[in-house]
Amino acid sequence: MIRVPHDVKKSFLSVIAFLLVLGTVACSSTPESSQGNSSGQSGNAPQPAATPAPGNAGDDNTPKPGGILKLARAQDLSNLDPIVPGDNMTIWTLLLMYDQLVRVSADGNGIEPALATDWKISDDHKTYTFNLRKDVKFHDGSVMTPADVKFSLDRARAEGSNWSWIYTGIESVEVSGENQVTIKTKTPYAPLLSSLALFSSSIVSEKVVKEKGKDFLSDKEMGTGPFRLANWQRGQKVELEKNPDYWQTGKPYLDGVELVQVPEDTTRLFQLRAGDIDIASNVPFNTMEELKADPALTVMAPQVSRVDVININHTHEPFGDGKIRQAINYAVDKELIIKTVLMGNGEPATSYLPKMKFFNDQLEGYKFNLEKAKQLMAESSKPQGFKTKLLISSGDETDRQIAVIVKDQLAALGIDVEIQMMEPGAAYEAVNSMNYDLATTYFSTDIIDPDELTSFEVVSTGGTDAYHTGYKNPKVDELAEKARAELDEAKRKEMYMEIQKLVSEDATFLFLYYKPASYAVQNYVKGFNVLSTGNYRLEDVWLNK
């Protein structure tokens, strides 16, 4: 049972009543441990698991070729150039069209080969030599070469890349053999292999990019992945078709994929029940029990490395005041949100990192404490409160319900919150341009090393201005830089534990919760799994129709 202080019981009950109405509406409707081989040694790194060949119709366990998979998502893509986007819908699509030298293993705990078959690390941990697969082809039929790898990685770490900050430890990338590239680092660089698994490390065709120009990849692609772009109808859908030359023999099983943009949760679930789509993502938790009762559907809640927060724009007054940020964190009851909005599917967030490698499980976070929140407000620069806006994505029932609770609970501090709704793509752009006060968002890691999210979320020089919050703590910046060069795992862990402690004390975000992903899938869809990094390998999926 959640204990509610007497002075907020009345407002609590009004919130619950409103949430029940919303729930009724919704129901009728949104860690680098395996590094291939040891330092200074050569040999074969672990290979992707072998897959069975397509079988006969009627065999429910053997993949069958053919068919188009329709997956509904809330948001459209932004920019298809691997060195540009930061939104998951685009990132997860890029991973279907492009390959990298290495990739995160399916269990989320290591790194496995992709375009590189194996690699060797020098004794001083400053030289990495990668042997490449032979006869890998781009989507235009041309053969990938080591020169393409060098070109792609140099491009990813160049000034024009939005992700150049993750490659600062690299000194050079060179072609060192007929099917070999060598990467040298300035100093020992602990997250290198993980960084090479990042989508921005995708291998593109040097010839095509140079011939077509630097903007060619913004709405087209030239990768080596299991699917190639067939059509992009902005605001509606992305059509992918099977790559017949894919290097993983027999894959993909599907003839193609349609990633359909459906911003409204209610519409997405209606289309699923009607059989118009095969998979619905971002299923509201208050609809899951009803969906589970449908014998034609499978409801999935896979654990992913994700943390949900409300971004706080430190450059908008009065959010530069740490006492106000702390007061907001104490005033919002995360347990209430988890119980009433997530239907118990989550736990309060205490760190900017998801539960992943080097997660600090010693942090207490900000447990609901209205008296403490009021005390901090009284000591702040705005003791009488102020007006502000909370930006959420339209059509997202979860965000809307959270916004209602946050608005109600911050009113107890004299903070008047106006809920501002925008189409998901517009909301994303508003955050990127720092044109917001508060905004619901979440972070999920693309790799197994904490370096990416640390640099992305809380380092002021990380390339995103601490994910467009304007947060700056020199000690955090310094520790993050040192952690990159530290090869001793125990010492690295200590640094990340300290970074998380500092970010928590600074109340950089309004920390909300850790929750699983949520999908509803037609039973005839086989082989669909969500990785801990949040993406899905649709080359493994087949339809048993």
Side-chain angles (χ1 to χ4, degrees), residues 236-401:
Q236 297 183 45
K237 64 180 177 180
V238 177
E239 296 176 315
L240 306 178
E241 62 184 11
K242 176 179 182 175
N243 173 11
D245 298 320
Y246 190 45
W247 55 268
Q248 288 198 55
T249 304
K251 292 186 180 182
Y253 305 119
L254 297 165
D255 288 333
V257 173
E258 287 187 15
L259 303 172
V260 187
Q261 183 185 351
V262 186
E264 295 285 339
D265 290 345
T266 52
T267 305
R268 204 155 53 247
L269 294 184
F270 177 82
Q271 291 180 351
L272 180 74
R273 290 191 178 103
D276 296 331
I277 60 173
D278 303 313
I279 301 174
S281 65
N282 197 31
V283 174
F285 286 97
N286 62 358
T287 68
M288 292 184 76
E289 289 304 314
E290 180 184 349
L291 292 172
K292 287 177 182 177
D294 189 332
L297 301 175
T298 297
V299 178
M300 301 172 59
Q303 294 298 320
V304 292
S305 296
R306 164 177 173 156
V307 56
D308 284 68
V309 303
I310 289 180
N311 252 31
I312 301 175
N313 190 339
H314 296 215
T315 68
H316 282 199
E317 290 300 329
F319 296 117
D321 186 334
K323 288 184 181 293
I324 287 177
R325 300 196 303 271
Q326 290 176 335
I328 288 173
N329 269 278
Y330 279 120
V332 174
D333 189 341
K334 290 85 172 178
E335 293 281 7
L336 171 63
I337 291 174
I338 291 166
K339 182 177 182 180
T340 59
V341 180
L342 304 186
M343 314 306 290
N345 292 281
E347 57 184 294
T350 56
S351 170
Y352 71 90
L353 282 182
K355 292 195 168 185
M356 58 178 294
K357 182 178 182 179
F358 298 153
F359 170 74
N360 189 340
D361 59 1
Q362 303 303 308
L363 294 175
E364 290 189 7
Y366 291 86
K367 296 179 180 178
F368 179 62
N369 187 333
L370 187 57
E371 293 308 311
K372 179 69 172 177
K374 288 180 175 179
Q375 176 188 338
L376 286 163
M377 278 296 291
E379 298 170 358
S380 77
S381 58
K382 293 286 185 179
Q384 303 306 315
F386 55 92
K387 292 184 177 181
T388 190
K389 294 181 180 180
L390 170 57
L391 174 62
I392 68 172
S393 294
S394 60
D396 190 313
E397 290 295 335
T398 299
D399 273 8
R400 184 163 66 166
Q401 293 177 30

Side-chain angles (χ1 to χ4, degrees), residues 57 64 68 275 278 524 542-545:
K64 304 172 181 64
I68 305 294
D278 303 313
Y524 55 74
W542 52 283
L543 303 179
N544 188 31
K545 284 187 174 182

